[in-house]
Amino acid sequence: MTHQPTAAVLLIGDELLSGRTRDINLQQIAQFLEPLGIPVLEARTVPDIQDEIVAAVNALRAKYTYVFTTGGIGPTHDDITADAIAAAFGVGISEHPDALRDMAARYAAMNTEFTAPRRRMARVPHGASLVANPVSGAPGFQMENVFTLAGVPQIARAMLEDIGPRLRSGAVVHKVTVRGKGLREGDLAEALGQIAQDSPGVGIGSYPWYGAIDDHGVALVARSTDPAALAVVQSRLEALARSLGAIPEIQ
């Protein structure tokens, strides 16, 4: 049996840490990888500081099968991710001829000047392979097990389509959600802990929701690569919900 591949996501940008920009890239990367059997096990957010990016990249690429970075590959002075990736791998960086050719043609077709700042987006670390960007043209790139994507969510999601075929898939994680309206975590905690203890191959989480006064409860989520084990846990979660007076809703 091959080792289960894993992933980490590194979100880069001062705007994320300041709260100015809301991140959705972590969610869409995790959702893209889940059907491939590649769980995201860690996410970090770092500022636009090269030493911080380098340290995070080197730590994550040594720990996980794949690392996905987002942000910092645009045309402005604070877009330093490409330089940081090059530094992390100890290689040089320069304009990639294929990226330069394709971007020049794209800007010419748009009747837009291909300025020096725009040319910066053609710079990639030496030895990296390009990741196609069908949205705006400026590519991402792959350096060994590290994939560098744009920060704009629409572009990052489009880049994932070019990355998918390069990834080694693992065992798909199946999941089921048992929602119980009116449930409270304090009432089910002890029994839920026992179910988790009895089911070492299944991950179980408890997620309360609060809507209106008459709309609250707990969603019990179970995940496993073993469908049979998952089915057993689902039955126990449904029984737990019923024992506390809730009608289980399966998702």
Side-chain angles (χ1 to χ4, degrees):
M1 180 178 293
T2 58
H3 180 67
Q4 177 81 6
T6 57
V9 178
L10 180 62
L11 308 166
I12 300 168
D14 294 342
E15 70 278 7
L16 298 173
L17 291 167
S18 70
R20 181 182 181 278
T21 299
R22 183 180 66 175
D23 169 69
I24 65 171
N25 282 323
L26 171 58
Q27 180 185 40
Q28 63 180 8
I29 291 171
Q31 289 176 340
F32 181 85
L33 295 176
E34 184 178 47
L36 301 177
I38 307 173
V40 173
L41 298 185
E42 185 174 348
R44 299 188 189 185
T45 305
V46 295
D48 296 311
I49 299 175
Q50 180 161 314
D51 288 348
E52 296 287 342
I53 300 170
V54 169
V57 167
N58 282 334
L60 294 173
R61 71 186 179 97
K63 188 176 181 181
Y64 300 103
T65 313
Y66 302 113
V67 177
F68 296 81
T69 80
T70 70
I73 57 172
T76 60
H77 71 283
D78 57 345
D79 288 312
I80 61 171
T81 298
D83 296 274
I85 298 294
F89 283 88
V91 299
I93 185 171
S94 59
E95 293 176 343
H96 192 290
D98 293 342
L100 195 64
R101 179 198 65 224
D102 294 344
M103 290 178 66
R106 185 181 183 94
Y107 280 105
M110 295 188 298
N111 196 28
T112 301
E113 183 180 1
F114 191 28
T115 60
R118 293 187 175 113
R119 288 178 67 112
R120 289 189 75 242
M121 295 187 289
R123 298 168 66 250
V124 303
H126 296 167
S129 57
L130 300 182
V131 172
N133 171 7
V135 177
S136 64
F141 54 86
Q142 174 188 357
M143 191 68 181
E144 296 184 10
N145 65 331
V146 178
F147 297 91
T148 297
L149 286 62
V152 177
Q154 180 186 8
I155 299 175
R157 180 60 184 82
M159 287 179 170
L160 289 173
E161 295 301 326
D162 189 35
I163 292 172
R166 312 183 193 189
L167 305 177
R168 175 172 62 85
S169 298
V172 175
V173 177
H174 305 276
K175 67 178 179 180
V176 65
T177 300
V178 178
R179 285 169 52 93
K181 187 175 181 180
L183 290 180
R184 295 179 295 184
E185 285 191 301
D187 296 331
L188 56 81
E190 184 174 352
L192 188 64
Q194 185 62 55
I195 295 173
Q197 183 177 332
D198 295 341
S199 313
V202 182
I204 303 174
S206 173
Y207 307 96
W209 83 83
Y210 304 95
I213 294 177
D214 60 347
D215 181 20
H216 62 88
V218 177
L220 303 173
V221 181
R223 299 179 175 86
S224 179
T225 59
D226 183 347
L230 187 63
V232 171
V233 169
Q234 177 182 335
S235 295
R236 294 188 65 179
L237 294 179
E238 292 180 42
L240 173 59
R242 291 191 187 95
S243 72
L244 295 172
I247 299 174
E249 303 172 8
I250 311 303
Q251 295 181 341

CSV table of all heavy atoms in Angstrom, one decimal, residues 178-222:
chain,number,residue,atom,x,y,z
A,178,VAL,N,-24.6,14.0,10.2
A,178,VAL,CA,-25.8,13.7,10.9
A,178,VAL,C,-26.2,15.0,11.7
A,178,VAL,O,-25.5,15.4,12.7
A,178,VAL,CB,-25.7,12.5,11.9
A,178,VAL,CG1,-27.0,12.3,12.6
A,178,VAL,CG2,-25.3,11.3,11.1
A,179,ARG,N,-27.2,15.7,11.2
A,179,ARG,CA,-27.6,17.0,11.9
A,179,ARG,C,-28.8,16.7,12.9
A,179,ARG,O,-29.7,15.9,12.5
A,179,ARG,CB,-28.1,18.0,10.9
A,179,ARG,CG,-27.0,18.6,10.1
A,179,ARG,CD,-27.5,19.4,8.9
A,179,ARG,NE,-28.6,20.4,9.3
A,179,ARG,CZ,-28.4,21.7,9.6
A,179,ARG,NH1,-27.1,22.1,9.6
A,179,ARG,NH2,-29.4,22.4,9.9
A,180,GLY,N,-28.7,17.3,14.0
A,180,GLY,CA,-29.8,17.1,15.0
A,180,GLY,C,-30.2,18.5,15.5
A,180,GLY,O,-29.5,19.1,16.2
A,181,LYS,N,-31.4,18.9,15.1
A,181,LYS,CA,-32.0,20.2,15.5
A,181,LYS,C,-32.3,20.1,17.0
A,181,LYS,O,-32.9,19.1,17.5
A,181,LYS,CB,-33.2,20.5,14.7
A,181,LYS,CG,-33.8,21.9,15.0
A,181,LYS,CD,-34.9,22.2,14.0
A,181,LYS,CE,-35.5,23.6,14.3
A,181,LYS,NZ,-36.6,23.9,13.4
A,182,GLY,N,-31.9,21.1,17.7
A,182,GLY,CA,-32.1,21.1,19.2
A,182,GLY,C,-31.0,20.5,20.0
A,182,GLY,O,-31.1,20.6,21.2
A,183,LEU,N,-30.1,19.7,19.4
A,183,LEU,CA,-29.0,19.1,20.1
A,183,LEU,C,-28.1,20.2,20.7
A,183,LEU,O,-27.9,21.2,20.2
A,183,LEU,CB,-28.2,18.2,19.3
A,183,LEU,CG,-28.9,16.9,18.8
A,183,LEU,CD1,-28.0,16.1,17.9
A,183,LEU,CD2,-29.4,16.0,20.0
A,184,ARG,N,-27.5,19.8,21.9
A,184,ARG,CA,-26.5,20.7,22.5
A,184,ARG,C,-25.3,19.8,22.8
A,184,ARG,O,-25.4,18.7,23.2
A,184,ARG,CB,-27.1,21.3,23.8
A,184,ARG,CG,-28.2,22.2,23.5
A,184,ARG,CD,-28.8,22.8,24.8
A,184,ARG,NE,-29.3,21.7,25.7
A,184,ARG,CZ,-30.0,22.0,26.8
A,184,ARG,NH1,-30.1,23.2,27.3
A,184,ARG,NH2,-30.5,21.0,27.5
A,185,GLU,N,-24.1,20.4,22.5
A,185,GLU,CA,-22.9,19.7,22.6
A,185,GLU,C,-22.6,19.1,24.0
A,185,GLU,O,-22.1,18.0,24.2
A,185,GLU,CB,-21.7,20.5,22.2
A,185,GLU,CG,-21.5,20.8,20.7
A,185,GLU,CD,-20.2,21.4,20.3
A,185,GLU,OE1,-19.9,22.5,20.8
A,185,GLU,OE2,-19.5,20.8,19.6
A,186,GLY,N,-23.0,19.9,25.0
A,186,GLY,CA,-22.8,19.4,26.4
A,186,GLY,C,-23.6,18.2,26.7
A,186,GLY,O,-23.1,17.4,27.6
A,187,ASP,N,-24.7,17.9,26.0
A,187,ASP,CA,-25.5,16.8,26.3
A,187,ASP,C,-25.0,15.5,25.6
A,187,ASP,O,-25.2,14.4,26.1
A,187,ASP,CB,-27.0,17.0,25.9
A,187,ASP,CG,-27.6,18.1,26.7
A,187,ASP,OD1,-27.3,18.3,27.8
A,187,ASP,OD2,-28.5,18.8,26.1
A,188,LEU,N,-24.3,15.7,24.5
A,188,LEU,CA,-23.8,14.5,23.7
A,188,LEU,C,-22.3,14.2,23.8
A,188,LEU,O,-21.9,13.3,23.3
A,188,LEU,CB,-24.2,14.7,22.3
A,188,LEU,CG,-23.7,15.9,21.5
A,188,LEU,CD1,-22.3,15.8,21.0
A,188,LEU,CD2,-24.7,16.2,20.3
A,189,ALA,N,-21.6,15.1,24.5
A,189,ALA,CA,-20.2,15.0,24.5
A,189,ALA,C,-19.6,13.7,25.0
A,189,ALA,O,-18.7,13.1,24.4
A,189,ALA,CB,-19.6,16.2,25.4
A,190,GLU,N,-20.2,13.2,26.1
A,190,GLU,CA,-19.7,11.9,26.7
A,190,GLU,C,-19.9,10.8,25.8
A,190,GLU,O,-19.0,10.0,25.5
A,190,GLU,CB,-20.3,11.7,28.1
A,190,GLU,CG,-19.8,10.5,28.8
A,190,GLU,CD,-20.3,10.3,30.2
A,190,GLU,OE1,-21.0,11.2,30.6
A,190,GLU,OE2,-20.1,9.2,30.8
A,191,ALA,N,-21.1,10.6,25.2
A,191,ALA,CA,-21.4,9.5,24.3
A,191,ALA,C,-20.7,9.6,23.0
A,191,ALA,O,-20.2,8.6,22.5
A,191,ALA,CB,-22.9,9.5,24.1
A,192,LEU,N,-20.5,10.9,22.6
A,192,LEU,CA,-19.7,11.1,21.3
A,192,LEU,C,-18.3,10.7,21.5
A,192,LEU,O,-17.7,10.1,20.6
A,192,LEU,CB,-19.8,12.5,20.9
A,192,LEU,CG,-19.3,12.9,19.5
A,192,LEU,CD1,-20.1,12.1,18.4
A,192,LEU,CD2,-19.3,14.4,19.3
A,193,GLY,N,-17.7,11.0,22.7
A,193,GLY,CA,-16.4,10.6,22.9
A,193,GLY,C,-16.2,9.1,22.9
A,193,GLY,O,-15.2,8.6,22.5
A,194,GLN,N,-17.2,8.4,23.4
A,194,GLN,CA,-17.1,6.9,23.5
A,194,GLN,C,-17.2,6.4,22.0
A,194,GLN,O,-16.4,5.4,21.7
A,194,GLN,CB,-18.3,6.4,24.3
A,194,GLN,CG,-18.2,4.8,24.5
A,194,GLN,CD,-17.0,4.4,25.2
A,194,GLN,OE1,-16.7,4.9,26.3
A,194,GLN,NE2,-16.2,3.5,24.6
A,195,ILE,N,-18.0,6.9,21.2
A,195,ILE,CA,-18.1,6.5,19.8
A,195,ILE,C,-16.8,6.7,19.1
A,195,ILE,O,-16.3,5.8,18.4
A,195,ILE,CB,-19.2,7.2,19.1
A,195,ILE,CG1,-20.6,6.9,19.6
A,195,ILE,CG2,-19.2,6.9,17.6
A,195,ILE,CD1,-21.7,7.7,19.1
A,196,ALA,N,-16.2,7.9,19.3
A,196,ALA,CA,-14.9,8.1,18.7
A,196,ALA,C,-13.8,7.2,19.2
A,196,ALA,O,-13.0,6.7,18.5
A,196,ALA,CB,-14.4,9.6,19.1
A,197,GLN,N,-13.8,6.8,20.5
A,197,GLN,CA,-12.9,5.9,21.1
A,197,GLN,C,-13.0,4.5,20.5
A,197,GLN,O,-12.1,3.8,20.3
A,197,GLN,CB,-13.0,5.8,22.6
A,197,GLN,CG,-12.0,4.9,23.3
A,197,GLN,CD,-12.2,5.0,24.8
A,197,GLN,OE1,-12.6,6.0,25.4
A,197,GLN,NE2,-11.8,3.9,25.5
A,198,ASP,N,-14.3,4.1,20.2
A,198,ASP,CA,-14.6,2.8,19.7
A,198,ASP,C,-14.3,2.7,18.2
A,198,ASP,O,-14.4,1.6,17.6
A,198,ASP,CB,-16.0,2.5,19.9
A,198,ASP,CG,-16.4,2.3,21.4
A,198,ASP,OD1,-15.4,2.1,22.2
A,198,ASP,OD2,-17.6,2.4,21.7
A,199,SER,N,-14.0,3.9,17.5
A,199,SER,CA,-13.9,3.9,16.1
A,199,SER,C,-12.6,4.6,15.6
A,199,SER,O,-12.6,5.7,15.1
A,199,SER,CB,-15.1,4.7,15.5
A,199,SER,OG,-16.3,4.2,16.0
A,200,PRO,N,-11.4,3.9,15.9
A,200,PRO,CA,-10.1,4.6,15.6
A,200,PRO,C,-9.9,4.9,14.2
A,200,PRO,O,-9.1,5.8,13.9
A,200,PRO,CB,-9.1,3.6,16.1
A,200,PRO,CG,-9.9,2.2,16.1
A,200,PRO,CD,-11.3,2.6,16.4
A,201,GLY,N,-10.6,4.3,13.2
A,201,GLY,CA,-10.4,4.6,11.8
A,201,GLY,C,-11.3,5.6,11.3
A,201,GLY,O,-11.3,5.9,10.0
A,202,VAL,N,-12.1,6.3,12.1
A,202,VAL,CA,-13.0,7.3,11.7
A,202,VAL,C,-12.8,8.6,12.5
A,202,VAL,O,-12.7,8.6,13.7
A,202,VAL,CB,-14.5,6.8,11.9
A,202,VAL,CG1,-15.5,7.8,11.4
A,202,VAL,CG2,-14.7,5.4,11.2
A,203,GLY,N,-12.7,9.7,11.7
A,203,GLY,CA,-12.6,11.0,12.4
A,203,GLY,C,-14.0,11.5,12.6
A,203,GLY,O,-14.8,11.5,11.7
A,204,ILE,N,-14.3,12.0,13.8
A,204,ILE,CA,-15.6,12.5,14.2
A,204,ILE,C,-15.5,13.9,14.7
A,204,ILE,O,-14.6,14.2,15.6
A,204,ILE,CB,-16.3,11.6,15.2
A,204,ILE,CG1,-16.3,10.1,14.7
A,204,ILE,CG2,-17.7,12.1,15.6
A,204,ILE,CD1,-16.9,9.1,15.7
A,205,GLY,N,-16.3,14.8,14.2
A,205,GLY,CA,-16.3,16.2,14.7
A,205,GLY,C,-17.7,16.6,15.1
A,205,GLY,O,-18.7,16.1,14.5
A,206,SER,N,-17.8,17.6,16.0
A,206,SER,CA,-19.1,18.1,16.4
A,206,SER,C,-19.1,19.6,16.1
A,206,SER,O,-18.2,20.4,16.6
A,206,SER,CB,-19.2,17.9,17.9
A,206,SER,OG,-20.4,18.5,18.4
A,207,TYR,N,-20.1,20.1,15.4
A,207,TYR,CA,-20.2,21.5,14.9
A,207,TYR,C,-21.6,22.1,15.2
A,207,TYR,O,-22.5,21.8,14.5
A,207,TYR,CB,-19.9,21.5,13.4
A,207,TYR,CG,-18.6,20.8,13.1
A,207,TYR,CD1,-18.6,19.5,12.6
A,207,TYR,CD2,-17.3,21.5,13.3
A,207,TYR,CE1,-17.4,18.9,12.3
A,207,TYR,CE2,-16.2,20.8,13.0
A,207,TYR,CZ,-16.2,19.5,12.5
A,207,TYR,OH,-15.0,18.9,12.2
A,208,PRO,N,-21.7,22.9,16.3
A,208,PRO,CA,-23.0,23.5,16.6
A,208,PRO,C,-23.3,24.6,15.6
A,208,PRO,O,-22.4,25.2,15.0
A,208,PRO,CB,-22.8,24.0,18.0
A,208,PRO,CG,-21.3,24.3,18.1
A,208,PRO,CD,-20.6,23.2,17.2
A,209,TRP,N,-24.6,24.8,15.4
A,209,TRP,CA,-25.0,26.0,14.6
A,209,TRP,C,-26.1,26.7,15.4
A,209,TRP,O,-26.8,26.2,16.3
A,209,TRP,CB,-25.6,25.6,13.3
A,209,TRP,CG,-27.0,25.1,13.2
A,209,TRP,CD1,-28.1,25.9,13.2
A,209,TRP,CD2,-27.5,23.7,13.3
A,209,TRP,NE1,-29.3,25.1,13.2
A,209,TRP,CE2,-28.9,23.8,13.2
A,209,TRP,CE3,-26.9,22.5,13.3
A,209,TRP,CZ2,-29.7,22.6,13.2
A,209,TRP,CZ3,-27.6,21.4,13.3
A,209,TRP,CH2,-29.0,21.4,13.3
A,210,TYR,N,-26.1,28.0,15.2
A,210,TYR,CA,-27.0,28.9,15.9
A,210,TYR,C,-27.7,29.8,14.9
A,210,TYR,O,-27.1,30.7,14.3
A,210,TYR,CB,-26.3,29.7,17.0
A,210,TYR,CG,-25.5,28.9,17.9
A,210,TYR,CD1,-24.1,28.6,17.7
A,210,TYR,CD2,-26.1,28.4,19.1
A,210,TYR,CE1,-23.4,27.9,18.6
A,210,TYR,CE2,-25.4,27.6,20.0
A,210,TYR,CZ,-24.1,27.4,19.8
A,210,TYR,OH,-23.4,26.6,20.7
A,211,GLY,N,-29.0,29.6,14.7
A,211,GLY,CA,-29.8,30.5,13.8
A,211,GLY,C,-30.7,31.3,14.6
A,211,GLY,O,-30.3,32.0,15.5
A,212,ALA,N,-32.0,31.2,14.4
A,212,ALA,CA,-33.0,31.8,15.2
A,212,ALA,C,-33.2,31.1,16.5
A,212,ALA,O,-32.5,30.0,16.7
A,212,ALA,CB,-34.3,31.8,14.4
A,213,ILE,N,-34.1,31.6,17.3
A,213,ILE,CA,-34.3,31.0,18.6
A,213,ILE,C,-34.7,29.5,18.5
A,213,ILE,O,-34.3,28.6,19.3
A,213,ILE,CB,-35.4,31.7,19.4
A,213,ILE,CG1,-34.8,33.2,19.8
A,213,ILE,CG2,-35.8,31.0,20.7
A,213,ILE,CD1,-35.9,34.0,20.5
A,214,ASP,N,-35.5,29.2,17.5
A,214,ASP,CA,-35.9,27.9,17.3
A,214,ASP,C,-35.1,27.1,16.2
A,214,ASP,O,-35.6,26.1,15.6
A,214,ASP,CB,-37.4,27.8,16.9
A,214,ASP,CG,-37.7,28.6,15.6
A,214,ASP,OD1,-36.8,29.3,15.2
A,214,ASP,OD2,-38.8,28.5,15.1
A,215,ASP,N,-34.0,27.6,15.9
A,215,ASP,CA,-33.1,27.0,14.8
A,215,ASP,C,-31.7,26.9,15.3
A,215,ASP,O,-30.9,27.8,15.0
A,215,ASP,CB,-33.2,27.8,13.5
A,215,ASP,CG,-32.4,27.2,12.4
A,215,ASP,OD1,-32.0,26.0,12.5
A,215,ASP,OD2,-32.0,27.9,11.5
A,216,HIS,N,-31.4,25.9,16.1
A,216,HIS,CA,-30.1,25.6,16.6
A,216,HIS,C,-29.9,24.2,16.8
A,216,HIS,O,-30.9,23.4,16.8
A,216,HIS,CB,-29.8,26.4,17.9
A,216,HIS,CG,-30.7,26.0,19.0
A,216,HIS,ND1,-30.4,24.9,19.8
A,216,HIS,CD2,-31.9,26.4,19.4
A,216,HIS,CE1,-31.4,24.8,20.7
A,216,HIS,NE2,-32.3,25.7,20.5
A,217,GLY,N,-28.7,23.7,16.8
A,217,GLY,CA,-28.5,22.3,17.0
A,217,GLY,C,-27.0,22.0,16.8
A,217,GLY,O,-26.1,22.8,16.8
A,218,VAL,N,-26.7,20.7,16.5
A,218,VAL,CA,-25.4,20.2,16.3
A,218,VAL,C,-25.3,19.3,15.0
A,218,VAL,O,-26.2,18.5,14.8
A,218,VAL,CB,-24.9,19.4,17.5
A,218,VAL,CG1,-23.5,18.9,17.3
A,218,VAL,CG2,-24.9,20.3,18.8
A,219,ALA,N,-24.3,19.6,14.2
A,219,ALA,CA,-24.0,18.7,13.1
A,219,ALA,C,-22.8,17.8,13.5
A,219,ALA,O,-21.7,18.3,13.8
A,219,ALA,CB,-23.6,19.5,11.9
A,220,LEU,N,-23.0,16.5,13.4
A,220,LEU,CA,-22.0,15.5,13.7
A,220,LEU,C,-21.5,15.0,12.4
A,220,LEU,O,-22.2,14.4,11.6
A,220,LEU,CB,-22.6,14.4,14.6
A,220,LEU,CG,-23.3,14.8,15.9
A,220,LEU,CD1,-23.9,13.6,16.5
A,220,LEU,CD2,-22.3,15.4,16.8
A,221,VAL,N,-20.2,15.2,12.2
A,221,VAL,CA,-19.5,14.8,10.9
A,221,VAL,C,-18.5,13.7,11.1
A,221,VAL,O,-17.7,13.8,12.0
A,221,VAL,CB,-18.9,16.1,10.3
A,221,VAL,CG1,-18.2,15.7,8.9
A,221,VAL,CG2,-19.8,17.2,10.1
A,222,ALA,N,-18.7,12.7,10.4
A,222,ALA,CA,-17.7,11.5,10.4
A,222,ALA,C,-17.1,11.4,9.1
A,222,ALA,O,-17.7,11.5,8.0
A,222,ALA,CB,-18.5,10.3,10.8
